[in-house]
Amino acid sequence: MKERPGPFSLFLLALALFTGCSEGNSGSSMTDGDTDLSLDGDQQVADGDIEGEDVADTWFSLEWVDPLIGTGGYGFWGGGNCTPGATRPFGMVKPSPDTQGTDGTPDPLHHTGYYYHDDWIAGFSQTHMHGVGITSYGHVLMLPRLGRALQGFSDQDYRIRFKKSSETVSPAYYAVTLADGTRVELTASDRVAWHRYSFPSESTEPRCVLIDVAHALPNNLIMDARIDLDPEDGRFTATFLQIGGFSFDIGGLTMYASGAFPPNPDYVATWNSAGLEENRLSAEGAMTLGALLCYGDKDVLEIQVGMSFASADGADINLETETSDTNFDSVLAEGQDQWRRLLSRIRIDCESDDIRRQFYSALYRTLLIPTLMSDVDRSYLGFDGQLHETEQSRYYSDFSLWDTYRTQHPLLTIVYPEYQLEMVYSLLNMARQGGYFPKWAFANGETNIMVGTPADIVIADSYLKGLVFPFDEALDFSMLTVRASTEPGSGYFGRESFSEHLDIGYIPADAESGSVSKTQEYAVADQALCEMATRLGRTEDAELLCQTRFNHRNLWDEEHAFFLPLNEDGSSAWPDFSLESIPQNVLDGKNSAFTEGNPWHYLFFAPHDAPGLIEMNGGPESFTERLSSFFDLSRDELESLPDDPEATGGNRLYYWHGNEPSLHTAYLFSSAGRPDLACQTIRWVMDTHYSSTPDGLPGNDDVGTLSAWLVFSMLGFYPNPGSDDYWLACPRVRNAEIQLADGVLNISVEGPLEGAVIPVKYRFNGDVLDHPMLTWPMIRNGGELVVTMQNLP
């Protein structure tokens, strides 16, 4: 939807008269080493083949990426929960350390295994999620150790301290030195984790490797587990059922591992609840199961572990295929080259090493998850519990869609469309096999986590941006939940109170929790589907959707000027509402109509209807004043927080950047014609909520969502998903080249870049824009955006 022009033009004229407009040096051109992603046809991407990608530019340095950013943080809401281990883009395996604090107590800061401020390592497991607030994975933990003696079989018994200063972390590589002097190095191919252990040569103790099949991250249990060893061939296999965390919602997750180790160890033993038994090559158990392999004369051990979500045969094939005719160093080099190629699709020129590090580290984090689920032979376990073969190169799951539809998927769609297309097909196959699109897809099942129907937005936005897939079939699946409830026993929530959404125009608070949030989220989804249905010529669907996209307006309370809950009979569900009655704790019962939020957070949540939101708030000038006041309250709140880790890691009463409904809010200044205020506010968010330290994220990265926000914001534009529109603010980089499928989008800044600066003019392909907005048709084939900046008067 196009915002109407007007106030921005008047603002520019007034500012020009006051300060005078000047044009500065736009910086050096960045055209060396261009990559070619051009595809034939009018549409961007018609298949998902990612083989033979562009050759990496030699200018790019992996030293600009720090995977430790976001691995710290504090409090229930404040941990970044990022994963520092080795991985390929969206890889199935992410071998990484699982750490513990001195007391070993699990807490929300270990949802992905690693927490920067810990001082113990339990071991190195092969699978991890990234930036999530619920634990899962952490499969097949391995730990090198000197000596055979075990004090017990839990990670509290065998964990070891590590030298924090010894960590070396970069894309595709993690290394650390343990307290006993053993150096651990990790890398990864797509489905195989590679371990290299270098033991201290002066030690006379046996060189051992512990394999704990029953290890799990906090709030998870391993059941029905089995391990089999073949010492002569140097192979082991393992199968186990994980229950807890995300997997609890899908009835448990069965996993398969196939590993290779140096043959003929001097000592072999397995353990289960009955204890440790030497020379026993097979063992079964639950919650306690593992093996110990020891060598007397090997200073360096290399072990590979292939994983599969589909079958034991799949794990074997993955291991054999991805370890054939290669070694640790070559796999590492291939992984580094792949990261270099992908990250160099956006080339920036900036005036600070710290900005460069933040930018590329954020871009890196947007490419970690969803998770590759298909094996080398393209087989995967579908949502129907059956094995299938993907028609694309790869099949993915672990879609945190309520988060990622806002930033991560829009970024993938324009910069990494081949991956996004495979993800669209993955969602479509989930619907084919499970009956509906998921809200939060984990492995081979639906968790129903969060609200709305965010897959609709991802699907529609991908269509609007030119990706080619079965459009009508996809829209048919979306319309299933628009028009009807899900089938009993299907395992899908769909659209709760869908009939009320259609009949009375909102979700009643006396029918559903999160009623305001659901009404708003359905409206955003309906806007996206309205655009898709209209362009596909689906007249009946379009008429319905283009009406319900404004249902959020029915919850607008004129007296208080907030979106507030209503009961089915139209009465207020919060009759004593006042500003003083809004609890800061988003989990307080009074906030039950808002999902992970309060009325302040959802006050500005109508990104698809910015003109309507502005009118409901009295027009551009009144809206700008209210939005400015909101951010003034937000700044005061942040500055007033006590110097306490728990306080900094808590939720906020006002602007809460650590959670999704607030992410677009600062860009609404641009909708009201004030990109200068958008620029100042976004700079404040960057400077106070992000840094290049382990504590440098304001909360869970939510599968790359917060990182993608930073990437867009540093480039100076921001998506409005489900539409053609991108808001403009101000870049944090002097120049940027963004490689699109059909061209290059160049962004450059004239004038001052840092300090108290504001944008005063936008030119696209030489034409001055009278409104701070770009559209997809404008940029799809590339182009040049020049932003003129000046110091704040």
Side-chain angles (χ1 to χ4, degrees), residues 61-117:
S61 172
L62 292 178
E63 293 181 358
W64 298 339
V65 179
D66 185 357
L68 289 175
I69 295 175
T71 58
Y74 301 95
F76 181 80
W77 299 102
N81 289 338
C82 297
T83 306
T87 188
R88 296 288 179 92
F90 308 111
M92 179 183 293
V93 297
K94 295 176 175 62
S96 187
D98 295 340
T99 63
Q100 297 177 355
T102 298
D103 61 3
T105 304
D107 60 39
L109 301 172
H110 294 96
H111 283 154
T112 54
Y114 179 96
Y115 181 56
Y116 180 82
H117 300 290

Short mmCIF file of all heavy atoms in Angstrom, two decimals, residues 61-117:
data_model
loop_
_atom_site.label_atom_id
_atom_site.label_comp_id
_atom_site.label_asym_id
_atom_site.label_seq_id
_atom_site.Cartn_x
_atom_site.Cartn_y
_atom_site.Cartn_z
N SER A 61 36.59 -10.16 3.89
CA SER A 61 37.34 -10.83 4.95
C SER A 61 36.39 -11.42 5.98
O SER A 61 35.49 -10.72 6.49
CB SER A 61 38.28 -9.83 5.65
OG SER A 61 38.88 -10.43 6.79
N LEU A 62 36.57 -12.69 6.30
CA LEU A 62 35.76 -13.32 7.33
C LEU A 62 36.05 -12.75 8.72
O LEU A 62 35.28 -12.98 9.65
CB LEU A 62 35.99 -14.83 7.32
CG LEU A 62 35.46 -15.57 6.09
CD1 LEU A 62 35.79 -17.05 6.18
CD2 LEU A 62 33.97 -15.37 5.91
N GLU A 63 37.13 -12.00 8.84
CA GLU A 63 37.41 -11.36 10.13
C GLU A 63 36.38 -10.29 10.47
O GLU A 63 36.30 -9.84 11.61
CB GLU A 63 38.82 -10.74 10.10
CG GLU A 63 39.93 -11.77 10.01
CD GLU A 63 41.31 -11.14 10.01
OE1 GLU A 63 41.37 -9.90 10.05
OE2 GLU A 63 42.30 -11.89 9.99
N TRP A 64 35.58 -9.88 9.48
CA TRP A 64 34.53 -8.90 9.74
C TRP A 64 33.32 -9.53 10.43
O TRP A 64 32.39 -8.83 10.81
CB TRP A 64 34.09 -8.25 8.43
CG TRP A 64 35.17 -7.49 7.74
CD1 TRP A 64 36.32 -6.99 8.31
CD2 TRP A 64 35.24 -7.16 6.36
NE1 TRP A 64 37.09 -6.36 7.36
CE2 TRP A 64 36.45 -6.45 6.15
CE3 TRP A 64 34.40 -7.37 5.28
CZ2 TRP A 64 36.82 -5.97 4.90
CZ3 TRP A 64 34.76 -6.90 4.03
CH2 TRP A 64 35.97 -6.20 3.85
N VAL A 65 33.32 -10.85 10.55
CA VAL A 65 32.20 -11.56 11.16
C VAL A 65 32.63 -12.09 12.52
O VAL A 65 33.63 -12.79 12.64
CB VAL A 65 31.73 -12.73 10.28
CG1 VAL A 65 30.58 -13.47 10.93
CG2 VAL A 65 31.34 -12.22 8.89
N ASP A 66 31.85 -11.77 13.54
CA ASP A 66 32.12 -12.26 14.89
C ASP A 66 30.91 -13.06 15.38
O ASP A 66 29.91 -12.48 15.84
CB ASP A 66 32.39 -11.10 15.84
CG ASP A 66 32.79 -11.59 17.24
OD1 ASP A 66 32.79 -12.81 17.46
OD2 ASP A 66 33.08 -10.73 18.11
N PRO A 67 30.96 -14.39 15.30
CA PRO A 67 29.82 -15.21 15.75
C PRO A 67 29.57 -15.15 17.25
O PRO A 67 28.55 -15.68 17.71
CB PRO A 67 30.23 -16.63 15.32
CG PRO A 67 31.19 -16.43 14.19
CD PRO A 67 31.97 -15.20 14.59
N LEU A 68 30.47 -14.54 18.02
CA LEU A 68 30.24 -14.43 19.46
C LEU A 68 29.26 -13.31 19.81
O LEU A 68 28.73 -13.27 20.92
CB LEU A 68 31.56 -14.20 20.20
CG LEU A 68 32.50 -15.40 20.26
CD1 LEU A 68 33.83 -15.01 20.91
CD2 LEU A 68 31.87 -16.56 21.03
N ILE A 69 29.01 -12.39 18.87
CA ILE A 69 28.02 -11.35 19.15
C ILE A 69 26.66 -12.00 19.37
O ILE A 69 26.22 -12.83 18.59
CB ILE A 69 27.94 -10.34 17.98
CG1 ILE A 69 29.27 -9.59 17.82
CG2 ILE A 69 26.80 -9.35 18.18
CD1 ILE A 69 29.31 -8.67 16.62
N GLY A 70 26.02 -11.62 20.46
CA GLY A 70 24.71 -12.17 20.77
C GLY A 70 24.73 -13.46 21.55
O GLY A 70 23.67 -14.04 21.82
N THR A 71 25.90 -13.95 21.95
CA THR A 71 25.97 -15.17 22.74
C THR A 71 25.88 -14.89 24.23
O THR A 71 25.91 -15.82 25.03
CB THR A 71 27.27 -15.94 22.46
OG1 THR A 71 28.39 -15.09 22.75
CG2 THR A 71 27.34 -16.38 21.01
N GLY A 72 25.77 -13.60 24.61
CA GLY A 72 25.62 -13.23 26.01
C GLY A 72 24.24 -12.67 26.26
O GLY A 72 23.24 -13.17 25.77
N GLY A 73 24.20 -11.57 27.04
CA GLY A 73 22.92 -10.98 27.42
C GLY A 73 22.49 -11.49 28.77
O GLY A 73 23.09 -12.42 29.34
N TYR A 74 21.42 -10.90 29.30
CA TYR A 74 21.03 -11.22 30.67
C TYR A 74 19.51 -11.29 30.80
O TYR A 74 18.77 -10.67 30.04
CB TYR A 74 21.55 -10.15 31.64
CG TYR A 74 23.04 -9.99 31.61
CD1 TYR A 74 23.62 -9.01 30.81
CD2 TYR A 74 23.88 -10.82 32.35
CE1 TYR A 74 25.00 -8.86 30.76
CE2 TYR A 74 25.25 -10.67 32.31
CZ TYR A 74 25.81 -9.69 31.51
OH TYR A 74 27.17 -9.54 31.46
N GLY A 75 19.06 -12.04 31.79
CA GLY A 75 17.66 -12.04 32.15
C GLY A 75 16.80 -12.95 31.30
O GLY A 75 17.25 -13.55 30.32
N PHE A 76 15.52 -13.04 31.69
CA PHE A 76 14.60 -13.95 31.01
C PHE A 76 14.41 -13.57 29.55
O PHE A 76 14.32 -14.43 28.69
CB PHE A 76 13.24 -13.92 31.74
CG PHE A 76 12.23 -14.85 31.14
CD1 PHE A 76 12.26 -16.20 31.44
CD2 PHE A 76 11.26 -14.39 30.27
CE1 PHE A 76 11.34 -17.08 30.89
CE2 PHE A 76 10.33 -15.26 29.71
CZ PHE A 76 10.36 -16.60 30.02
N TRP A 77 14.34 -12.26 29.26
CA TRP A 77 14.09 -11.81 27.90
C TRP A 77 15.35 -11.33 27.19
O TRP A 77 15.30 -11.06 25.98
CB TRP A 77 13.10 -10.65 27.90
CG TRP A 77 11.75 -10.96 28.45
CD1 TRP A 77 11.27 -10.62 29.69
CD2 TRP A 77 10.68 -11.66 27.79
NE1 TRP A 77 9.98 -11.06 29.84
CE2 TRP A 77 9.59 -11.70 28.69
CE3 TRP A 77 10.55 -12.24 26.53
CZ2 TRP A 77 8.38 -12.31 28.36
CZ3 TRP A 77 9.34 -12.85 26.21
CH2 TRP A 77 8.27 -12.88 27.12
N GLY A 78 16.47 -11.20 27.90
CA GLY A 78 17.59 -10.46 27.36
C GLY A 78 18.71 -11.26 26.71
O GLY A 78 19.62 -10.68 26.14
N GLY A 79 18.68 -12.58 26.81
CA GLY A 79 19.75 -13.36 26.21
C GLY A 79 19.61 -13.45 24.71
O GLY A 79 18.52 -13.70 24.18
N GLY A 80 20.71 -13.25 23.98
CA GLY A 80 20.66 -13.35 22.52
C GLY A 80 20.47 -14.76 22.03
O GLY A 80 19.93 -14.99 20.96
N ASN A 81 20.95 -15.75 22.83
CA ASN A 81 20.83 -17.16 22.49
C ASN A 81 21.35 -17.48 21.09
O ASN A 81 20.75 -18.24 20.33
CB ASN A 81 19.37 -17.63 22.62
CG ASN A 81 18.94 -17.72 24.08
OD1 ASN A 81 19.76 -17.83 24.98
ND2 ASN A 81 17.65 -17.63 24.32
N CYS A 82 22.47 -16.87 20.76
CA CYS A 82 23.10 -17.14 19.47
C CYS A 82 24.08 -18.30 19.59
O CYS A 82 24.58 -18.61 20.68
CB CYS A 82 23.82 -15.88 18.96
SG CYS A 82 22.70 -14.50 18.66
N THR A 83 24.36 -18.91 18.49
CA THR A 83 25.19 -20.12 18.45
C THR A 83 26.53 -19.80 17.80
O THR A 83 26.56 -19.39 16.63
CB THR A 83 24.48 -21.22 17.64
OG1 THR A 83 23.18 -21.42 18.17
CG2 THR A 83 25.24 -22.52 17.70
N PRO A 84 27.65 -19.99 18.50
CA PRO A 84 28.95 -19.64 17.92
C PRO A 84 29.62 -20.75 17.14
O PRO A 84 30.66 -20.55 16.53
CB PRO A 84 29.78 -19.30 19.16
CG PRO A 84 29.27 -20.25 20.20
CD PRO A 84 27.79 -20.38 19.93
N GLY A 85 29.04 -21.94 17.15
CA GLY A 85 29.72 -23.09 16.56
C GLY A 85 29.82 -23.04 15.06
O GLY A 85 29.34 -22.13 14.39
N ALA A 86 30.46 -24.06 14.51
CA ALA A 86 30.71 -24.14 13.07
C ALA A 86 29.46 -24.60 12.35
O ALA A 86 28.73 -25.48 12.82
CB ALA A 86 31.86 -25.10 12.80
N THR A 87 29.21 -24.01 11.19
CA THR A 87 28.07 -24.44 10.39
C THR A 87 28.20 -23.91 8.97
O THR A 87 28.98 -22.99 8.71
CB THR A 87 26.74 -23.97 11.00
OG1 THR A 87 25.64 -24.57 10.30
CG2 THR A 87 26.62 -22.46 10.94
N ARG A 88 27.45 -24.50 8.07
CA ARG A 88 27.25 -23.96 6.73
C ARG A 88 25.96 -23.14 6.75
O ARG A 88 25.15 -23.27 7.66
CB ARG A 88 27.14 -25.09 5.70
CG ARG A 88 28.40 -25.93 5.54
CD ARG A 88 29.51 -25.19 4.83
NE ARG A 88 30.71 -26.00 4.69
CZ ARG A 88 30.99 -26.77 3.64
NH1 ARG A 88 30.14 -26.84 2.63
NH2 ARG A 88 32.11 -27.46 3.60
N PRO A 89 25.71 -22.33 5.74
CA PRO A 89 24.46 -21.58 5.70
C PRO A 89 23.25 -22.52 5.79
O PRO A 89 23.11 -23.44 4.99
CB PRO A 89 24.53 -20.86 4.35
CG PRO A 89 26.00 -20.71 4.09
CD PRO A 89 26.62 -21.96 4.63
N PHE A 90 22.41 -22.30 6.79
CA PHE A 90 21.20 -23.07 7.05
C PHE A 90 21.51 -24.56 7.22
O PHE A 90 20.67 -25.42 6.95
CB PHE A 90 20.18 -22.88 5.92
CG PHE A 90 19.88 -21.44 5.62
CD1 PHE A 90 20.29 -20.86 4.42
CD2 PHE A 90 19.20 -20.66 6.53
CE1 PHE A 90 20.00 -19.53 4.13
CE2 PHE A 90 18.92 -19.32 6.26
CZ PHE A 90 19.33 -18.76 5.06
N GLY A 91 22.71 -24.89 7.70
CA GLY A 91 23.15 -26.28 7.76
C GLY A 91 22.36 -27.12 8.74
O GLY A 91 21.83 -26.64 9.74
N MET A 92 22.30 -28.41 8.46
CA MET A 92 21.65 -29.36 9.35
C MET A 92 22.41 -29.49 10.66
O MET A 92 21.81 -29.58 11.73
CB MET A 92 21.55 -30.74 8.68
CG MET A 92 20.90 -31.81 9.54
SD MET A 92 20.87 -33.44 8.76
CE MET A 92 19.74 -33.17 7.40
N VAL A 93 23.74 -29.51 10.59
CA VAL A 93 24.54 -29.63 11.79
C VAL A 93 25.17 -28.28 12.14
O VAL A 93 25.52 -27.50 11.26
CB VAL A 93 25.65 -30.70 11.65
CG1 VAL A 93 25.02 -32.07 11.43
CG2 VAL A 93 26.61 -30.36 10.52
N LYS A 94 25.27 -28.06 13.43
CA LYS A 94 25.95 -26.87 13.96
C LYS A 94 26.75 -27.30 15.18
O LYS A 94 26.38 -27.02 16.33
CB LYS A 94 24.93 -25.79 14.35
CG LYS A 94 24.14 -25.21 13.17
CD LYS A 94 23.09 -24.22 13.66
CE LYS A 94 22.39 -23.55 12.50
NZ LYS A 94 21.65 -24.49 11.63
N PRO A 95 27.86 -28.03 14.99
CA PRO A 95 28.65 -28.46 16.15
C PRO A 95 29.12 -27.26 16.94
O PRO A 95 29.72 -26.34 16.39
CB PRO A 95 29.80 -29.24 15.52
CG PRO A 95 29.89 -28.74 14.11
CD PRO A 95 28.48 -28.41 13.72
N SER A 96 28.84 -27.27 18.23
CA SER A 96 29.09 -26.10 19.05
C SER A 96 29.20 -26.53 20.50
O SER A 96 28.62 -27.57 20.89
CB SER A 96 27.93 -25.10 18.88
OG SER A 96 28.19 -23.88 19.53
N PRO A 97 29.91 -25.79 21.33
CA PRO A 97 30.02 -26.16 22.74
C PRO A 97 28.72 -25.93 23.50
O PRO A 97 28.03 -24.93 23.28
CB PRO A 97 31.13 -25.24 23.26
CG PRO A 97 31.10 -24.07 22.34
CD PRO A 97 30.70 -24.59 21.01
N ASP A 98 28.40 -26.86 24.38
CA ASP A 98 27.32 -26.68 25.34
C ASP A 98 27.97 -26.33 26.68
O ASP A 98 28.71 -27.14 27.25
CB ASP A 98 26.49 -27.95 25.46
CG ASP A 98 25.75 -28.27 24.17
OD1 ASP A 98 25.58 -27.35 23.35
OD2 ASP A 98 25.34 -29.43 24.00
N THR A 99 27.72 -25.12 27.14
CA THR A 99 28.43 -24.60 28.30
C THR A 99 27.53 -24.56 29.53
O THR A 99 26.31 -24.68 29.45
CB THR A 99 28.97 -23.19 28.02
OG1 THR A 99 27.86 -22.30 27.78
CG2 THR A 99 29.88 -23.19 26.81
N GLN A 100 28.18 -24.36 30.67
CA GLN A 100 27.47 -24.25 31.94
C GLN A 100 28.17 -23.23 32.82
O GLN A 100 29.38 -23.01 32.70
CB GLN A 100 27.42 -25.60 32.67
CG GLN A 100 26.66 -26.69 31.94
CD GLN A 100 26.73 -28.01 32.67
OE1 GLN A 100 27.41 -28.15 33.69
NE2 GLN A 100 26.00 -28.99 32.15
N GLY A 101 27.39 -22.63 33.72
CA GLY A 101 27.97 -21.77 34.74
C GLY A 101 28.54 -22.59 35.87
O GLY A 101 28.43 -23.83 35.90
N THR A 102 29.12 -21.93 36.82
CA THR A 102 29.78 -22.63 37.92
C THR A 102 28.82 -23.54 38.67
O THR A 102 29.17 -24.66 39.04
CB THR A 102 30.40 -21.61 38.89
OG1 THR A 102 31.41 -20.86 38.18
CG2 THR A 102 31.03 -22.30 40.09
N ASP A 103 27.57 -23.06 38.88
CA ASP A 103 26.63 -23.90 39.62
C ASP A 103 25.92 -24.90 38.72
O ASP A 103 25.21 -25.78 39.22
CB ASP A 103 25.60 -23.03 40.36
CG ASP A 103 24.77 -22.17 39.41
OD1 ASP A 103 24.96 -22.29 38.18
OD2 ASP A 103 23.95 -21.39 39.91
N GLY A 104 26.09 -24.77 37.42
CA GLY A 104 25.51 -25.74 36.50
C GLY A 104 24.01 -25.66 36.34
O GLY A 104 23.40 -26.51 35.73
N THR A 105 23.40 -24.63 36.90
CA THR A 105 21.94 -24.52 36.87
C THR A 105 21.46 -24.11 35.49
O THR A 105 21.86 -23.07 34.98
CB THR A 105 21.45 -23.50 37.91
OG1 THR A 105 21.95 -23.87 39.20
CG2 THR A 105 19.93 -23.45 37.94
N PRO A 106 20.58 -24.90 34.86
CA PRO A 106 20.02 -24.48 33.57
C PRO A 106 19.16 -23.23 33.74
O PRO A 106 18.51 -23.06 34.76
CB PRO A 106 19.17 -25.68 33.13
CG PRO A 106 19.66 -26.82 33.96
CD PRO A 106 20.12 -26.23 35.25
N ASP A 107 19.15 -22.37 32.78
CA ASP A 107 18.34 -21.17 32.83
C ASP A 107 18.02 -20.73 31.41
O ASP A 107 18.49 -21.36 30.45
CB ASP A 107 19.03 -20.05 33.62
CG ASP A 107 20.37 -19.65 33.02
OD1 ASP A 107 20.50 -19.58 31.79
OD2 ASP A 107 21.29 -19.39 33.80
N PRO A 108 17.22 -19.67 31.24
CA PRO A 108 16.83 -19.29 29.87
C PRO A 108 18.00 -18.89 28.97
O PRO A 108 17.81 -18.72 27.78
CB PRO A 108 15.90 -18.10 30.10
CG PRO A 108 15.41 -18.24 31.49
CD PRO A 108 16.54 -18.85 32.24
N LEU A 109 19.18 -18.71 29.54
CA LEU A 109 20.31 -18.27 28.74
C LEU A 109 21.02 -19.44 28.04
O LEU A 109 22.01 -19.23 27.35
CB LEU A 109 21.30 -17.51 29.63
CG LEU A 109 20.70 -16.27 30.30
CD1 LEU A 109 21.68 -15.68 31.31
CD2 LEU A 109 20.31 -15.22 29.28
N HIS A 110 20.53 -20.65 28.21
CA HIS A 110 21.14 -21.81 27.57
C HIS A 110 20.20 -22.48 26.57
O HIS A 110 20.29 -23.66 26.31
CB HIS A 110 21.57 -22.83 28.63
CG HIS A 110 22.67 -22.36 29.51
ND1 HIS A 110 22.45 -21.79 30.74
CD2 HIS A 110 24.01 -22.33 29.33
CE1 HIS A 110 23.61 -21.45 31.30
NE2 HIS A 110 24.58 -21.77 30.45
N HIS A 111 19.32 -21.70 25.97
CA HIS A 111 18.35 -22.28 25.05
C HIS A 111 19.01 -22.84 23.81
O HIS A 111 18.44 -23.71 23.15
CB HIS A 111 17.30 -21.24 24.66
CG HIS A 111 16.29 -21.01 25.73
ND1 HIS A 111 15.59 -19.84 25.86
CD2 HIS A 111 15.86 -21.80 26.74
CE1 HIS A 111 14.77 -19.92 26.89
NE2 HIS A 111 14.91 -21.09 27.44
N THR A 112 20.17 -22.34 23.45
CA THR A 112 20.87 -22.90 22.29
C THR A 112 22.22 -23.51 22.69
O THR A 112 23.06 -23.73 21.84
CB THR A 112 21.08 -21.82 21.21
OG1 THR A 112 21.74 -20.69 21.78
CG2 THR A 112 19.75 -21.37 20.65
N GLY A 113 22.38 -23.78 23.97
CA GLY A 113 23.54 -24.54 24.44
C GLY A 113 24.67 -23.71 24.99
O GLY A 113 25.24 -24.06 26.02
N TYR A 114 25.01 -22.61 24.32
CA TYR A 114 26.21 -21.84 24.67
C TYR A 114 25.81 -20.51 25.30
O TYR A 114 24.90 -19.82 24.80
CB TYR A 114 27.03 -21.58 23.42
CG TYR A 114 28.31 -20.77 23.63
CD1 TYR A 114 29.53 -21.42 23.81
CD2 TYR A 114 28.29 -19.38 23.62
CE1 TYR A 114 30.70 -20.68 23.97
CE2 TYR A 114 29.46 -18.65 23.79
CZ TYR A 114 30.65 -19.30 23.97
OH TYR A 114 31.81 -18.57 24.13
N TYR A 115 26.50 -20.14 26.38
CA TYR A 115 26.34 -18.81 26.97
C TYR A 115 27.73 -18.25 27.25
O TYR A 115 28.55 -18.86 27.92
CB TYR A 115 25.53 -18.89 28.26
CG TYR A 115 25.30 -17.55 28.91
CD1 TYR A 115 24.71 -16.51 28.21
CD2 TYR A 115 25.67 -17.33 30.23
CE1 TYR A 115 24.49 -15.28 28.80
CE2 TYR A 115 25.45 -16.09 30.83
CZ TYR A 115 24.86 -15.07 30.12
OH TYR A 115 24.66 -13.84 30.70
N TYR A 116 27.99 -17.08 26.70
CA TYR A 116 29.34 -16.54 26.68
C TYR A 116 29.95 -16.41 28.07
O TYR A 116 31.16 -16.60 28.23
CB TYR A 116 29.33 -15.17 26.00
CG TYR A 116 30.70 -14.52 25.93
CD1 TYR A 116 31.61 -14.89 24.94
CD2 TYR A 116 31.10 -13.58 26.87
CE1 TYR A 116 32.86 -14.33 24.88
CE2 TYR A 116 32.36 -13.00 26.82
CZ TYR A 116 33.25 -13.39 25.83
OH TYR A 116 34.49 -12.83 25.78
N HIS A 117 29.17 -16.08 29.07
CA HIS A 117 29.72 -15.80 30.39
C HIS A 117 29.91 -17.04 31.25
O HIS A 117 30.25 -16.93 32.43
CB HIS A 117 28.82 -14.78 31.11
CG HIS A 117 28.71 -13.48 30.37
ND1 HIS A 117 29.75 -12.59 30.27
CD2 HIS A 117 27.68 -12.94 29.66
CE1 HIS A 117 29.37 -11.54 29.55
NE2 HIS A 117 28.12 -11.73 29.18
#
